[in-house]
Amino acid sequence: MQEVVLVVHLLITLALIGVVLVQKSEGGGLGVGGGTMGGFMTARGSANLLTRTTAILAALFFCTSLILAILAGTGGSGKSLFDKLPAPGSEAPATPAEPAKPTVPVGE
């Protein structure tokens, strides 16, 4: 289930990136994009479609993000890694193994 939602989430993400990149900058924040009102009024229909599409994709993105967060939260055991570690001092420290003694061939 989580894999299906993740694939849908990635597809929505790619579509959202594409729609945002297609939109024309109307603010002129960097001084590019032109600023005549004639061009603004002629592309109004496509701007409405792109704005609506962006809003829908953004809402779907948030929904799939929440679903993935819920699925990730309920899928685990609920315990932290630190809860699984033994308490300090509960076990004796490991002693190093005794090195093997070399064997001498018998009968030579």
Side-chain angles (χ1 to χ4, degrees):
M1 174 70 181
Q2 191 172 5
E3 292 84 10
V4 173
V5 177
L6 184 62
V7 169
V8 171
H9 183 73
L10 290 174
L11 291 174
I12 290 171
T13 303
L14 292 174
L16 186 60
I17 290 170
V19 168
V20 168
L21 288 176
V22 166
Q23 291 181 7
K24 180 182 175 188
S25 173
E26 295 176 1
L30 295 176
V32 294
T36 63
M37 282 304 274
F40 174 73
M41 297 305 277
T42 57
R44 190 67 176 162
S46 65
N48 282 339
L49 176 66
L50 289 174
T51 303
R52 189 174 303 127
T53 305
T54 303
I56 292 170
L57 287 172
L60 290 173
F61 177 81
F62 286 125
C63 289
T64 55
S65 297
L66 287 173
I67 291 170
L68 284 171
I70 291 169
L71 289 175
T74 58
S77 63
K79 290 192 172 188
S80 171
L81 176 64
F82 294 110
D83 294 338
K84 296 177 183 178
L85 294 176
S90 64
E91 294 181 7
T95 56
E98 195 67 33
K101 295 181 181 175
T103 58
V104 178
V106 180
E108 282 189 1

